[in-house]
Amino acid sequence: MHWWGGVVCPRAAVPVQLGMLGAALRDGEAVGKYNREGLVVRELAGSRAMAMQRGQRLGWLLGVGLIAVGGALVYRHYFLARPVASGPAGPPVAMAPFAEPWTERAVICLGIGDSITAGLGAASKQHGCFARLIENPDDEYADMQGRSLSGVLPNLRQRNIAVSGSTSIQHHDYIAERLKPFDESVFGLVVMTTGGNDIIHNYGRTPPREGAMYGATLEQARPWIANFELRLHAMVDAIELLFPGGCEIYLANIYDPTDSVGDAPSIFLPTWSEGLAVHAAYNRVLAKVAAERDSVYPVPLYESFLGHGSHCKQFWREHYDASDPTYWFYSNVEDPNDRGHDVVRRVFLNAILEHSILKHSVL
């Protein structure tokens, strides 16, 4: 007999009890081992799950970052980029009309107007639209070699009274103050850009007024637009009096750096809800005066520059130019850049080729 845990047990039962105890101990070790291995497995599984979650978060953040960077690049490319190319720009000019002189008569080419005619934004004085109209610069493009007024008008003189920043009000005064009548033997070819500064000044920094109407409503601008028409007729009258021997006045309309979209912030100016309406009204006046006066011919700068302003890269726009999606404006937004001056010269020259009596007959 043995005492076991305070209980009298037969001797034969002891091995059985010890065996049970050993089995229990062994089972406990197995359970402990299992528990320890399970814990490791669970820890490994948890680590893998956390790693997967971290990877997913990292992938999500990376994806968001790539989308943001891609979006920024797309925005920059289509909304902020102002690519300025090199080489010729604008419509072609035929060579045939320049094969022989047009007339031996004395002719003066007179420039009147604002910074466009004055040449602001061109790479050099030779590259301004007025200068290129008179004579090809030394580095003239191949497609414009020999296409200039001096090549067909051997007795051509030039004078340019255009002033950067000037308005139509000042142009009216400059004609009276700075010019005297020419001899009857002289024929006048007048190139003129006027009215643009009336519209864009003072860039929204001051309340709208005549000659600086930025921000005006169309209703507010109506009397100023009417005065612009009267002023244009008065300028034409004065120019005709300067040339008793006859003249032709080539009058440009006003281009739009927003490509007719009208979103002034795209050209770094304050929002102007009725800006396009005022602009269009001014261009209608320019067209009307050209239609009503026998000596005046329209020059379509507005149409020629569409697609080359602040939206030049936006292929979905109406005026997108796939053949040359580049910016033709200078850094100040108002004036043509060097290629833009090439365009202005070509558009004026084509208007002269189309209308001038100097080309069609010897005077």
Side-chain angles (χ1 to χ4, degrees), residues 56-244:
Q56 289 172 350
R57 285 197 296 270
L58 185 61
W60 183 82
L61 290 172
L62 182 60
V64 170
L66 289 173
I67 291 171
V69 170
L73 290 174
V74 168
Y75 182 81
R76 181 183 183 281
H77 179 77
Y78 288 112
F79 292 88
L80 298 180
R82 303 286 193 271
V84 177
S86 59
V93 177
M95 182 60 197
F98 298 91
E100 58 185 29
W102 295 353
T103 181
E104 295 293 326
R105 186 173 179 183
V107 177
I108 184 164
C109 187
L110 175 64
I112 299 174
D114 48 36
S115 52
I116 299 174
T117 303
L120 185 61
S124 72
K125 187 175 181 180
Q126 272 193 326
H127 284 207
C129 60
F130 183 82
R132 295 188 91 143
L133 188 64
I134 302 297
E135 187 174 8
N136 299 124
D138 296 336
D139 59 349
E140 183 60 272
Y141 302 121
D143 73 322
M144 287 299 293
Q145 290 284 352
R147 297 164 174 84
S148 68
L149 294 177
S150 62
V152 289
L153 300 172
N155 293 308
L156 176 68
R157 291 181 292 149
Q158 61 170 298
R159 185 171 178 191
N160 191 353
I161 66 166
V163 177
S164 294
S166 56
T167 67
S168 67
I169 299 168
Q170 293 167 302
H171 302 157
H172 175 272
D173 295 339
Y174 292 161
I175 292 168
E177 297 167 358
R178 304 184 181 189
L179 297 171
K180 294 180 180 180
F182 295 91
D183 188 84
E184 191 173 349
S185 63
V186 176
F187 188 86
L189 278 179
V190 182
V191 297
M192 190 171 176
T193 54
T194 188
N197 287 329
D198 298 14
I199 297 172
I200 203 168
H201 286 178
N202 278 325
Y203 315 102
R205 295 194 295 257
T206 59
R209 66 177 190 274
E210 186 169 14
M213 61 180 68
Y214 194 95
T217 64
L218 180 59
E219 191 61 32
Q220 186 179 11
R222 287 193 191 282
W224 306 333
I225 295 165
N227 288 343
F228 176 59
E229 182 175 349
L230 295 174
R231 202 156 47 242
L232 270 180
H233 279 293
M235 285 191 274
V236 172
D237 289 338
I239 293 169
E240 289 178 341
L241 289 174
L242 290 172
F243 291 101

Side-chain angles (χ1 to χ4, degrees), residues 21 162 302:
L21 178 61
Y302 171 80

Side-chain angles (χ1 to χ4, degrees), residues 262-338:
D263 54 343
S266 74
I267 55 172
F268 318 112
L269 290 174
T271 298
W272 185 7
S273 60
E274 297 192 51
L276 285 183
V278 173
H279 185 177
Y282 250 58
N283 273 343
R284 283 194 295 271
V285 168
L286 288 160
K288 184 171 182 284
V289 170
E292 292 174 352
R293 304 299 295 260
D294 292 338
S295 64
V296 182
Y297 302 97
V299 179
L301 290 192
Y302 171 80
E303 295 81 359
S304 301
F305 271 72
L306 285 174
H308 298 281
S310 59
H311 301 285
C312 63
K313 295 295 291 182
Q314 297 179 2
F315 60 87
W316 59 90
R317 297 289 183 185
E318 178 185 359
H319 302 295
Y320 176 72
D321 182 359
S323 65
D324 184 14
T326 59
Y327 193 61
W328 290 352
F329 291 87
Y330 189 47
S331 57
N332 68 357
V333 177
E334 297 175 62
D335 293 295
N337 59 22
D338 197 63

